[in-house]
Amino acid sequence: DAKTTQPPSMDCAEGRAANLPCNHSTISGNEYVYWYRQIHSQGPQYIIHGLKNNETNEMASLIITEDRKSSTLILPHATLRDTAVYYCIVRPLNYGGSQGNLIFGKGTKLSVKP
Amino acid sequence: NAGVTQTPKFRILKIGQSMTLQCAQDMNHNYMYWYRQDPGMGLKLIYYSVGAGITDKGEVPNGYNVSRSTTEYFPLRLELAAPSQTSVYFCASSGTARGIQPQHFGDGTRLSIL
């Protein structure tokens, strides 16, 4: 089962920031938080990951709370092309066998509206 | 920059037929994965491989087989197709399982068993 909890859906106005929350209250010290998204009919796309510090790349920012029990993915200026299902996943840094595999929950369906 | 390529994109099978879903990656990744995604659900791992000649079962392996004779290719075999195998199948690869390498996904094969 997924170790994360996300709202099933969210709306965002085009051009505004989209803030997608994720709860991972049972996260372990060696587990990273990953975010992927899946645009309709396409394969999942990697967005960003982090351990405990906030991270930013060309796609998004990731804010992780100090206790690491929750995080927020921020799309600073959402466009219509950001409409997708967003998955928050926790994954250990060092692992072997099947532990390294991504466990996808149902994610959050983000709808960006004009 | 092809990344992960899956063929075919669509296929309709009759119950009891067999087929092989093809997956190729050109990134020289050691790790490869097969997932299935049922409508409205997250991805579930079928099989994975940590390198040529090494494969292992994931969460839902029944009814499938895999082989990994080279680094580049990781085909998924359905021997006796059943309606429950109607799904979208995604292949993914990553540089290593250790560390923080993200997985790169293909665009999927949409399979219907009638």
Side-chain angles (χ1 to χ4, degrees):
Chain A
D1 291 337
K3 297 177 63 175
T4 62
T5 303
Q6 299 176 252
S9 64
M10 293 182 63
D11 290 340
C12 178
E14 188 178 19
R16 302 298 293 270
N19 298 284
L20 291 91
C22 179
N23 181 288
H24 32 79
S25 58
T26 61
I27 192 169
S28 300
N30 69 338
E31 289 182 317
Y32 275 71
V33 179
Y34 284 77
W35 283 83
Y36 283 75
R37 74 180 182 183
Q38 188 173 23
I39 297 171
H40 183 61
S41 299
Q42 296 181 20
Q45 176 189 23
Y46 165 78
I47 301 173
I48 199 169
H49 68 271
L51 182 63
K52 55 182 179 180
N53 297 320
N54 298 338
E55 302 288 345
T56 296
N57 63 19
E58 64 279 4
M59 290 183 67
S61 295
L62 175 60
I63 309 298
I64 302 174
T65 58
E66 191 170 344
D67 64 7
R68 303 212 319 124
K69 292 185 177 182
S70 65
S71 61
T72 301
L73 178 74
I74 301 173
L75 308 177
H77 304 287
T79 71
L80 298 179
R81 289 177 294 181
D82 292 321
T83 292
V85 178
Y86 287 77
Y87 296 98
C88 170
I89 301 166
V90 297
R91 182 188 190 198
L93 172 60
N94 293 308
Y95 43 76
S98 63
Q99 294 179 39
N101 304 309
L102 299 173
I103 299 176
F104 288 80
K106 293 187 177 181
T108 295
K109 180 172 175 50
L110 175 68
S111 298
V112 180
K113 300 182 182 299
Chain B
N1 50 346
V4 178
T5 302
Q6 293 184 238
T7 57
K9 294 188 184 303
F10 304 93
R11 184 73 184 268
I12 298 174
L13 284 182
K14 294 182 179 179
I15 295 172
Q17 286 186 320
S18 303
M19 79 162 293
T20 299
L21 283 66
Q22 302 292 344
C23 176
Q25 53 94 5
D26 62 0
M27 298 171 282
N28 200 32
H29 284 168
N30 287 323
Y31 288 80
M32 296 188 74
Y33 312 83
W34 274 105
Y35 295 87
R36 62 176 285 174
Q37 184 175 32
D38 297 332
M41 305 296 288
L43 281 70
K44 292 188 176 182
L45 183 69
I46 305 172
Y47 270 95
Y48 66 99
S49 170
V50 301
I54 306 171
T55 63
D56 207 346
K57 297 177 180 179
E59 183 183 359
V60 288
N62 291 343
Y64 307 94
N65 281 299
V66 293
S67 60
R68 184 96 181 272
S69 57
T70 67
T71 300
E72 295 80 9
Y73 300 103
F74 189 40
L76 177 71
R77 178 83 176 162
L78 281 72
E79 290 294 349
L80 291 171
S84 62
Q85 294 176 305
T86 293
S87 190
V88 181
Y89 292 84
F90 291 102
C91 179
S93 72
S94 63
T96 62
R98 293 185 177 277
I100 56 177
Q101 296 284 330
Q103 292 185 13
H104 300 266
F105 286 80
D107 283 336
T109 293
R110 283 147 187 81
L111 181 63
S112 294
I113 315 296
L114 303 177

